[in-house]
Amino acid sequence: MLDRITDSLRKSILAKEELVAGQADRIVTLVQWGVATLAAGGKILFMGNGGSAADAQHLAAEFVNRFLLARPPLAALALTTDSSVLTSIGNDFGFEQVFAKQIQALGRPGDLAIAISTSGGSANVLLALQVARGMGLRTVAWAGGDGGAVAAAADLALVVPSRQTPHIQETHAWLGHLFCQLVEEELFCGPAAGRPA
């Protein structure tokens, strides 16, 4: 059992290290887009299914409340939380529409839509990204494996180079925390706040 514990830890760390090694410039772009969106009065819209839905809710809460800094609330919303909206859309139009219709209702040009999909193949996430791009939102996909159709549909894709669902999801959680931290620091401590970094 100790060997399995060590092996799991090693693979989880490796997934994060490989993401940073190959896509650090994309993480910088993600943070820059988050800062620009919020500084301009826009909002971040998170979406995903299952564990990725939990990540969406978690990250929206970190922005609205706080992450590490005591600071004003930041505009973020998880499109996974309103059971009446989700079930009415799913019932009337099908599950593929549950995020797309919310993007149509709530999204505005200049907002940032972040889609989280472990597989990269979630049909409802894919459709929402396509709708968001058509409406003038910036779009970001967090995926795993080869990224799938979801990564291909986004303006910016961060793809965890792993086929193991737990390690992809662990890396997405780490990426989400890093995103929150760096956006906070840029907005309230760095150049975007008008103070030296």
Side-chain angles (χ1 to χ4, degrees):
M1 186 175 293
L2 289 175
D3 288 343
R4 283 180 283 164
I5 291 169
T6 302
D7 183 60
S8 176
L9 177 61
R10 181 184 59 81
K11 289 176 180 175
S12 182
I13 292 169
L14 182 62
K16 297 171 186 68
E17 289 178 339
E18 289 183 346
L19 175 70
V20 172
Q23 301 172 65
D25 57 334
R26 296 183 190 183
I27 297 173
V28 171
T29 299
L30 169 69
V31 172
Q32 290 171 336
W33 287 7
V35 168
T37 296
L38 296 169
K43 59 189 171 293
I44 303 175
L45 302 169
F46 292 99
M47 70 195 95
N49 298 298
S52 299
D55 287 342
Q57 293 166 215
H58 174 185
L59 295 175
E62 302 286 22
F63 277 100
V64 170
N65 184 24
R66 68 168 189 166
F67 186 59
L68 294 175
L69 300 179
R71 43 78 176 167
L74 296 169
L77 183 66
L79 304 182
T80 56
T81 58
D82 190 323
S83 59
S84 295
V85 168
L86 292 169
T87 55
S88 67
I89 295 170
N91 184 65
D92 294 349
F93 294 96
F95 191 65
E96 287 186 9
Q97 295 281 342
V98 295
F99 299 137
K101 288 183 75 67
Q102 291 187 77
I103 291 285
Q104 290 172 320
L106 303 171
R108 298 293 179 266
D111 287 347
L112 180 61
I114 299 181
I116 308 170
S117 174
T118 303
S119 68
S122 304
N124 57 355
V125 170
L126 175 60
L127 180 59
L129 285 175
Q130 293 167 338
V131 168
R133 286 187 80 177
M135 291 175 57
L137 283 72
R138 278 180 165 163
T139 57
V140 177
W142 299 357
D146 64 4
V150 167
D155 297 312
L156 177 70
L158 289 152
V159 180
V160 180
S162 172
R163 297 284 180 180
Q164 298 296 313
T165 295
H167 303 314
I168 295 167
Q169 292 179 343
E170 290 156 8
T171 303
H172 286 168
W174 172 81
L175 177 62
H177 279 167
L178 180 66
F179 179 48
C180 292
Q181 176 187 339
L182 296 178
V183 169
E184 273 193 345
E185 291 174 354
E186 289 297 304
L187 283 172
F188 298 101
C189 302
R195 297 187 292 276

